[in-house]
Amino acid sequence: MSSIEPPEGSPPPNTGRFGGSGTLSLRVRAARGVMVNASFNVVVQALTAVQGLALAGMLSVDQYGLWGLITVTLGTLLWLGAIGLDDKYIQQDEPDQEEAFQIAFTLQCLLCGAFLLIVAVAMPLFALAYDRPELVTPALVLGLGAMPAIALQTPLWVFYRRMDFVTQRRLQLWAPVVSLALLVPLAAAGFGVWAPVWATLASAWAAAFAAVRASPYPLRLRWRPGAAREYTSFSLPLFVSAATGVLTAQIPVLVASNSLGLEAVAALTLANTIAVFAYRVDALVTGTLYPAICAVADRLDLLFETFTKSNRLA
């Protein structure tokens, strides 16, 4: 494959965003990214399926159903919190990339701090809505313990922006491996619903430590006037979309829990463990191509090529 050569008078693709590996063409980089991300997703989803099926076999139906409620409640809150800070960081082309990263890291820390309070307030309310008081303690431990780790995983955005998918995925692989390594022994030892709680918490911190060690920029809090407004204006539509997704995920589980009990929630959790394979296909393609689209935002010919090829792949 040859490098992308723009027509005369057209702006060249932005290869400066790719760090020291900017000599590869975007086509080559995107093709490699699809292969790397496909391989990563196959491995991760296989580990997740093994973990989910093992958990279903080692926990009681009520314990597994309770874990399903915890994952749905925390998952929807985290989904709501994924308001596009990473997407905006990937899109930007600031001349000082260290400053841009540190501003994004500061905003992510503020967001995670806000969600510490939201989790502390929302978990008892969810437990009241589900009529499951036993939900509160493990959900709070997992939510409050994992939120700082999520903030410390911000350096992964740098490798995503550079389309350095090998480094990004290598660092992210720590989470599912650590989770599976701890989950089975803890569940076998009789920890019940606390087995996946401790395993998930440990996996989040393992990924955080790996990301911090590999970060190309120092992790410092930094501010610039107007940065919050810039990120907020970009993220508001994504927040609205996430809010509708929260309702879509919560309503079936709420109805199942109150009408049919934890057995129905356990069945939904197991079904989602299997169905997630199909959900990942579209995310794999679009996630790989997003940094490339940002790099050629001024090239309509390349944007059209990306649109057609991504649809064929999906």
Side-chain angles (χ1 to χ4, degrees), residues 134-310:
E134 65 272 26
L135 167 72
V136 176
T137 302
L140 283 177
V141 170
L142 180 57
L144 299 180
M147 206 59 65
I150 292 174
L152 292 175
Q153 292 178 34
T154 306
L156 294 173
W157 300 358
V158 179
F159 303 109
Y160 183 27
R161 182 178 181 274
R162 293 177 177 177
M163 298 184 74
D164 184 1
F165 296 110
V166 172
T167 302
Q168 178 199 10
R169 297 310 194 182
R170 175 172 52 81
L171 297 172
Q172 288 179 315
L173 195 59
W174 279 96
V177 170
V178 169
S179 179
L180 184 60
L182 291 178
L183 177 69
V184 174
L186 290 175
F191 277 75
V193 74
W194 285 98
V197 169
W198 294 126
T200 304
L201 199 56
S203 71
W205 279 99
F209 282 126
V212 170
R213 288 190 61 184
S215 178
Y217 306 119
L219 269 66
R220 296 174 184 165
L221 299 180
R222 197 165 181 173
W223 193 251
R224 184 185 66 206
R229 183 173 60 255
E230 181 182 353
Y231 272 79
T232 301
S233 62
F234 178 90
S235 302
L236 185 58
L238 299 177
F239 178 82
V240 174
S241 175
T244 60
V246 167
L247 292 177
T248 303
Q250 280 290 338
I251 290 175
V253 177
L254 182 62
V255 172
S257 176
N258 290 333
S259 301
L260 302 174
L262 287 177
E263 293 85 354
V265 178
L268 288 173
T269 304
L270 184 58
N272 184 68
T273 299
I274 299 170
V276 73
F277 280 97
Y279 301 153
R280 292 288 184 178
V281 175
D282 182 63
L284 186 155
V285 176
T286 56
T288 301
L289 293 179
Y290 178 66
I293 292 171
C294 293
V296 295
D298 296 327
R299 292 286 307 280
L300 293 180
D301 56 330
L302 296 181
L303 291 177
F304 181 74
E305 178 184 338
T306 303
F307 174 76
T308 55
K309 289 184 176 179
S310 63

